[in-house]
Structure formats: C-alpha cells, structure tokens
C-alpha cells in the first residue's frame, strides 16, 4: 500500500493532513455484531453466489452506517476483476467507490482464472471502500485521500471484523519514499511473528 501524494492546493492539503492525523475510528461497531456479519460474508463467498455475498455485505454496511450515523452506500457484487495490462506489468481492480452515486463495487473473482477471491481480500476491499464513503459522509473529506490515517481506519475495522486479538495486532509500519509513504511489509511481518 502506498499513500497518495499530498496535494498542492492549501485547502486540499489541509484536508489531506486532517485525514492523515485521524488514525482511529471512534466508536467502533459492536465486535460481536461485526464479527457475526463477517462470518456470514465468508460463508456466502464460499458458495460463490453473488446475491448471497451482496446480502451479507449489505448487512455489514447496515451495521457500519448505523454505527457512524451515515447513509448506507449501495453495493454491487460483480464477477471477475477488471485487469489492465501494460509492458512489464498489470493491475487488477478489487473494488471502487463512486462519490456521486454513493456506490461501492467489489469483484469476487480473480481476473485471469476467474477463481473466487480470498475472503480476507474481499472483506478488506469492502471495508476500504466503506471508509471512502465514511470520509465523505462523516468527516467531510471530499477527496477521501489514501493517507496513513485512512489505511489505519480501514485496519481498525478489518481487525475487529476478523477478531484479531489485541496482542496479535501490530501497528502499520510506514517508510517514507519522497512525497509518499508505503507499508514496510517486511518489518510489519517480522513484528507480527514476534521478531
């Protein structure tokens, strides 16, 4: 994961800095409720049925929207992920959020082989896109930038949904790369393994 570059305009930069500083979500939804809905989402995904995944995803979004006093975004669950290919690389789109339509789209199959995506990948994508909605609807971040704070807020929801024990959870570790930050996966993994 890499953060967005800080914007040039003073107004957008203030929003970016506020997002970067907001590293915790308070309150968090009820752990049991979120974990129960996450378990149902996982079961729906194993069935490979988009309608079931959509229903369980909407149930999770209902809980999250209610917790934060915002409208529930629409949810579309689609098939194989879109893929862009260029010389020397490729990328796949896991999900997106449409600001104007207040709509989340997630793809539940891999781009090339059409296999079901991993449960954790789908869960993270759904929570990531909900946090874009939350940024706009609750915090007033119109550009909803990918800042360290944004990723920390997603991480809060993700680990709560997975019932990660506090002693097994480690803070995200960032490395500065010019004007952006990226996750230091090697340090994060070693800190999680106790090294």
């Amino acid at each position: 994961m890499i953060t967005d570059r800080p914007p040039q305009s003073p107004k957008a930069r203030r929003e970016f800095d506020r997002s970067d500083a907001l590293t915790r979500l308070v309150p968090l939804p009820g752990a049991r409720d979120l974990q129960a809905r996450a378990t149902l989402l996982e079961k729906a995904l194993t069935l490979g049925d988009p309608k079931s995944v959509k229903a369980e995803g909407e149930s999770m979004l209902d809980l999250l929207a209610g917790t934060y006093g915002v409208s529930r975004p629409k949810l579309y669950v689609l098939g194989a992920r879109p893929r862009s290919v260029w010389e020397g690389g490729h990328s796949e789109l896991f999900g997106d959020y449409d600001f104007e339509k207040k709509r989340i789209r997630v793809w539940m199959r891999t781009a090339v082989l059409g296999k079901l995506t991993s449960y954790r990948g789908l869960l993270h994508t759904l929570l990531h896109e909900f946090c874009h909605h939350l940024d706009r609807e609750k915090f007033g971040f119109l550009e909803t930038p990918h800042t360290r704070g944004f990723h920390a807020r997603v991480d809060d929801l993700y680990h709560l949904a997975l019932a990660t024990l506090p002693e097994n959870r480690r803070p995200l570790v960032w490395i500065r790369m010019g004007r952006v930050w990226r996750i230091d996966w090697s340090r994060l993994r070693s800190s999680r393994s106790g090294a």
Side-chain angles (χ1 to χ4, degrees):
M1 284 186 281
I2 297 178
T3 64
D4 293 336
R5 288 175 183 251
Q8 296 296 320
S9 84
K11 181 179 178 187
R13 180 59 189 256
R14 283 191 298 274
E15 177 180 301
F16 186 93
D17 291 343
R18 282 187 14 245
S19 173
D20 198 50
L22 184 59
T23 60
R24 304 253 53 106
L25 276 176
V26 179
L28 286 170
R32 287 185 184 172
D33 285 344
L34 185 62
Q35 291 157 12
R37 291 169 200 227
T39 298
L40 292 173
L41 179 68
E42 181 177 21
K43 289 178 181 175
L45 181 62
T46 60
L47 297 174
D49 176 30
K51 288 182 183 178
S52 297
V53 172
K54 182 178 191 284
E56 299 307 339
E58 286 175 337
S59 175
M60 183 175 288
L61 292 173
D62 280 335
L63 173 65
L64 294 170
T67 299
Y68 298 107
V70 298
S71 64
R72 176 175 59 81
K74 297 175 203 160
L75 176 64
Y76 292 86
V77 176
L78 305 169
R81 294 192 287 253
R83 183 174 187 236
S84 298
V85 180
W86 61 89
E87 186 176 335
H90 77 276
S91 68
E92 297 180 22
L93 184 62
F94 287 65
D96 63 15
Y97 174 70
D98 185 298
F99 295 173
E100 302 308 316
K101 296 178 182 176
K102 299 181 183 179
R103 178 199 68 203
I104 292 172
R105 297 186 303 176
V106 295
W107 282 268
M108 60 180 274
R109 294 194 173 274
T110 62
V112 176
L113 299 177
K115 293 183 177 182
L116 285 175
T117 190
S118 72
Y119 159 64
R120 286 178 177 230
L122 183 76
L123 175 66
H124 190 276
T125 300
L126 181 63
L127 296 173
H128 176 110
E129 302 308 337
F130 175 77
C131 282
H132 282 304
H133 179 71
L134 189 62
D135 272 7
R136 287 182 62 94
E137 298 292 306
K138 183 162 183 75
F139 303 126
F141 302 149
L142 298 181
E143 297 301 318
T144 182
H146 292 106
T147 62
R148 290 173 296 170
F150 175 85
H151 289 295
R153 297 189 297 275
V154 174
D155 203 54
D156 276 350
L157 291 176
Y158 178 72
H159 285 291
L160 182 63
L162 291 176
T164 305
L165 295 172
E167 60 270 17
N168 292 338
R169 190 160 170 222
R170 302 293 180 263
L172 299 176
V173 180
W174 295 94
I175 298 173
R176 188 173 197 101
M177 295 177 44
R179 296 183 60 219
V180 300
W181 294 83
R182 77 166 173 83
I183 293 282
D184 184 346
W185 291 110
S186 63
R187 283 182 46 208
L188 189 62
R189 286 186 190 111
S190 67
S191 70
R192 286 188 176 173
S193 66

